[in-house]
Amino acid sequence: MGEVLGKVLVVDDDEVIRQLIAVNLNLEGFEVATATDGQDCLDQVLDVMPDVITLDVMMPCLDGWTTAERLRTDEATSHIKVVLITARAQDDDKRRGRGIGVDAYLTKPFDPAELIQVVRELALGEQA
């Protein structure tokens, strides 16, 4: 096993998508933790201290928008890179994501290779 590229917290309420993302990132050399929704993400983030969070937008309990806003406004988590992954591909949604300060925005269905590239660039401090 090679060097760990970084830690990623994968947040999605859909178990199949969550596992798909986690397996792909794990195979690529990332250490991966998972969360089932926004509240679960916020509960785990300080323990995991990921380099990157992949965050679904449409989730029960706490959606991705609110979760991203809370991550950005908390000094302890504001530096963590956030990738929104959503079926919501409208320009308004992308503008909202930029307004919150997310680092990247991928639309479902996404290409796993593209996701890996974006996460790798963010984890290594390159521009996504």
Side-chain angles (χ1 to χ4, degrees):
M1 191 78 184
E3 182 182 337
V4 173
L5 294 176
K7 287 186 188 177
V8 182
L9 180 56
V10 175
V11 187
D12 200 303
D13 60 317
D14 183 317
E15 185 176 355
V16 172
I17 294 173
R18 195 169 58 244
Q19 291 306 316
L20 171 78
I21 295 170
V23 165
N24 277 287
L25 290 171
N26 205 272
L27 288 171
E28 202 60 30
F30 289 96
E31 185 178 318
V32 180
T34 62
T36 55
D37 61 39
Q39 188 57 57
D40 191 20
C41 169
L42 295 176
D43 291 344
Q44 290 190 53
V45 69
L46 293 178
D47 290 332
V48 174
M49 278 320 268
D51 300 296
V52 179
I53 296 173
T54 67
L55 189 57
D56 184 24
V57 171
M58 306 305 288
M59 295 183 290
C61 298
L62 197 60
D63 67 28
W65 300 120
T66 306
T67 304
E69 287 170 350
R70 291 188 185 174
L71 289 166
R72 283 293 173 253
T73 57
D74 185 334
E75 197 174 300
T77 59
S78 62
H79 67 283
I80 298 171
K81 304 295 185 189
V82 176
V83 180
L84 284 182
I85 302 177
T86 180
R88 298 178 60 105
Q90 291 80 11
D91 287 341
D92 283 351
D93 296 315
K94 292 179 182 180
R95 269 194 296 279
R96 183 174 179 188
R98 282 192 298 273
I100 292 169
V102 301
D103 299 283
Y105 196 103
L106 293 176
T107 55
K108 293 177 184 177
F110 58 87
D111 175 1
E114 182 183 8
L115 172 71
I116 289 165
Q117 179 183 348
V118 167
V119 170
R120 178 191 295 268
E121 289 171 355
L122 290 173
L124 299 177
E126 300 165 8
Q127 192 60 41

